[in-house]
Amino acid sequence: MLTRLTAALLLLAAPAAALPQGAPIEPLRWEVPYSYPDFIGTPWSVAVGDHGAFTIVGRAGPEAGLDLHAGGSAQPLWMERFGTRSYVIRVAAADHAPVAAAFTLMDVDPDPASSLLEARLRLFELEGSISESWSQAFATGSSWYWDAGGVALSDDGAVVVGWWDLFDLGVTRVVALRRDGSLISQSDLPMKNSGYKTAGLLLSDDGMRALVSENTVIRLLDIPTGAVLASHSTQKGIPLTSIAFSGDGRRAVAASWDELVVLELSLIHISEPTRPRLV
């Protein structure tokens, strides 16, 4: 059983070495060496959830799959492998709930000489026995960038959002699902420049809004309806390099190579969330 108590006991059981006065503090608990130094692939993805009770790891390379660790333990409680045709695995964790999610991008073409990529969302319930609650494909196609996709979870795990750049259609698909796997909304956002992948998606704490960055444009997305509430393009047409989003979903900051944009989204009329934010 994976609980906060399990994580706390693991941390308390770890021996604490005495440090000489003035000695530097070494925070490293453990590390897992990469077993395939010659393999060129996507970096690992990690997330910590439920107040630090668990860590979920998305592996790339020949051992592509997921590992779940309790607290700071080096030994996985659970693992799953997806095979050598798995190209991208991104993970997310709910801050205040025993829920984790994964975005996987796999080649599902039966012909090994060709390729058809499938973007899929997976949700995991971590209370009691660890299990995959559901797995849903939300797009198929090809992508110039295999890592142009990802997943996000609301703080309470009630909303999971996945996204993938569909270069075939010239859109970024954003799909939002409830914890039980039912659909909330789906949006196909036109890509401004087909040669640039989406820089990222950030979800507000309550899961009601998402900030999506693509090339020179940032968009505020209303998750319940899938509608774009606001958008902004960089003045000089220079691609965005980083975005930040306040937890309440009312302030966005974006940076490009020579421009900083701060958007006060509180000036936009947005209905209040139907459920309170967790603190």
Side-chain angles (χ1 to χ4, degrees):
M1 177 180 294
L2 178 62
T3 64
R4 294 178 205 166
L5 177 60
T6 305
L9 291 175
L10 285 168
L11 291 173
L12 289 173
L19 291 176
Q21 186 174 4
I25 298 175
E26 174 55 71
L28 179 65
R29 287 288 302 276
W30 49 268
E31 62 181 342
V32 179
Y34 201 101
S35 303
Y36 301 91
D38 297 330
F39 181 81
I40 300 175
T42 310
W44 290 7
S45 173
V46 296
V48 178
D50 198 17
H51 304 274
F54 71 88
T55 298
I56 186 168
V57 180
R59 285 174 171 262
E63 294 187 354
L66 297 170
D67 292 352
L68 185 75
H69 300 258
S73 172
Q75 183 64 35
L77 288 177
W78 170 90
M79 63 177 61
E80 182 178 355
R81 296 294 175 259
F82 298 136
T84 57
R85 302 190 80 185
S86 305
Y87 296 118
V88 176
I89 300 174
R90 296 282 184 267
V91 295
D95 284 344
H96 304 297
V99 180
F103 164 90
T104 60
L105 191 61
M106 301 184 181
D107 187 352
V108 295
D109 196 317
D111 183 358
S114 58
S115 177
L116 177 64
L117 300 180
E118 177 190 76
R120 180 175 289 270
L121 287 178
R122 303 166 185 266
L123 190 90
F124 301 88
E125 297 283 352
L126 310 180
E127 192 71 63
S129 61
I130 302 168
S131 62
E132 182 178 88
S133 296
W134 49 259
S135 172
Q136 294 190 32
F138 68 93
T140 57
S142 62
S143 175
W144 299 337
Y145 300 96
W146 286 345
D147 61 341
V151 61
L153 269 171
S154 62
D155 274 8
D156 60 1
V159 179
V160 55
V161 176
W163 58 273
W164 187 37
D165 287 341
L166 286 165
F167 290 100
D168 297 345
L169 303 178
V171 300
T172 297
R173 175 160 296 172
V174 180
V175 60
L177 302 172
R178 297 180 181 87
R179 186 168 175 173
D180 63 6
S182 59
L183 180 68
I184 299 174
S185 65
Q186 177 176 304
S187 305
D188 284 346
L189 307 177
M191 299 178 69
K192 296 298 182 180
N193 287 76
S194 59
Y196 289 89
K197 62 181 178 180
T198 298
L201 180 147
L202 300 178
L203 190 64
S204 61
D205 290 347
D206 55 31
M208 293 294 101
R209 300 159 202 127
L211 187 68
V212 186
S213 165
E214 184 261 315
N215 192 22
T216 62
V217 181
I218 51 175
R219 297 182 177 98
L220 178 67
L221 194 64
D222 183 56
I223 293 300
T225 64
V228 176
L229 297 173
S231 64
H232 179 81
S233 299
T234 56
Q235 293 182 359
K236 298 181 180 180
I238 296 176
L240 295 163
T241 57
S242 180
I243 57 174
F245 198 25
S246 63
D248 59 8
R250 293 188 174 277
R251 177 171 296 162
V253 181
S256 68
W257 294 335
D258 65 351
E259 186 176 355
L260 180 67
V261 178
V262 178
L263 300 180
E264 289 291 344
L265 305 177
S266 58
L267 302 178
I268 305 170
H269 176 71
I270 302 174
S271 59
E272 289 301 317
T274 57
R275 52 194 173 87
R277 288 182 60 227
L278 295 172
V279 294

